[in-house]
Amino acid sequence: MKTRDSLIRLKRFQVDDKRRQLGQIEAMIAEFNRMADELDDQIRSEQERVGITDVGHFAYPTFAKAAATRRDNLRNSALELDEQLERARDELNEAIEELKKFEQLEERDQQRERSAQEAAEQDQLDEIAGRARLR
């Protein structure tokens, strides 16, 4: 029983760790998307300020070009993190399933122990009742 208790604690820790990792990845994706949206706003603002929206124009703002490159890099990083997010979700689901298996085994063992204890108590009561009839 001690070993299974330790395994259950380990599996719970693993599930919590996977959830934490999942949350971190989600937070990073949200932050990258927020930063990319801010860069989009800055690019639009710069384009409006100079009145040039054509990236190929010789006078297109250098800041807008650099911001677009940073924005694109952030969007690509967010897409790569989406793949990591999917893997993290799969790993979390696997860890939860493993935890459930061990918890079900533990519950089944506890139920067996309760049933055995109840049967022993019933035997004792039957024995006491049998002695009382003999008197």
Side-chain angles (χ1 to χ4, degrees):
M1 287 301 180
K2 270 292 203 209
T3 305
R4 187 166 300 139
D5 289 341
S6 297
L7 280 172
I8 289 174
R9 277 197 308 277
L10 173 65
K11 294 300 177 185
R12 284 185 182 144
F13 174 78
Q14 289 173 341
V15 166
D16 291 341
D17 187 49
K18 299 290 182 196
R19 281 190 179 124
R20 182 187 53 76
Q21 290 173 0
L22 190 68
Q24 287 176 336
I25 294 170
E26 288 172 338
M28 287 174 61
I29 291 171
E31 181 66 11
F32 286 176
N33 285 330
R34 184 194 61 75
M35 291 167 57
D37 290 343
E38 285 180 5
L39 286 170
D40 270 339
D41 293 340
Q42 291 175 8
I43 292 166
R44 272 191 297 279
S45 175
E46 185 69 8
Q47 288 173 342
E48 289 172 7
R49 186 182 69 76
V50 296
I52 301 172
T53 58
D54 179 15
V55 180
H57 191 277
F58 74 95
Y60 189 79
T62 305
F63 170 78
K65 286 180 185 178
T69 300
R70 285 194 306 273
R71 178 204 57 209
D72 294 343
N73 288 340
L74 285 168
R75 297 268 189 230
N76 289 334
S77 294
L79 288 174
E80 290 172 10
L81 284 174
D82 280 336
E83 294 170 12
Q84 287 182 21
L85 182 64
E86 254 336 285
R87 283 193 304 274
R89 281 186 179 135
D90 291 342
E91 289 173 8
L92 174 60
N93 288 334
E94 288 173 18
I96 289 171
E97 288 303 314
E98 280 188 44
L99 174 60
K100 283 180 185 179
K101 287 177 189 176
F102 283 106
E103 286 177 337
Q104 288 171 347
L105 286 172
E106 182 65 20
E107 178 63 31
R108 190 179 66 214
D109 288 348
Q110 287 176 357
Q111 181 61 36
R112 280 188 199 143
E113 288 175 16
R114 282 192 296 270
S115 296
Q117 186 177 4
E118 289 171 2
E121 289 173 1
Q122 187 61 47
D123 289 345
Q124 285 178 340
L125 290 174
D126 290 347
E127 186 179 317
I128 292 170
R131 278 190 248 148
R133 279 189 234 136
L134 294 176
R135 291 187 186 175

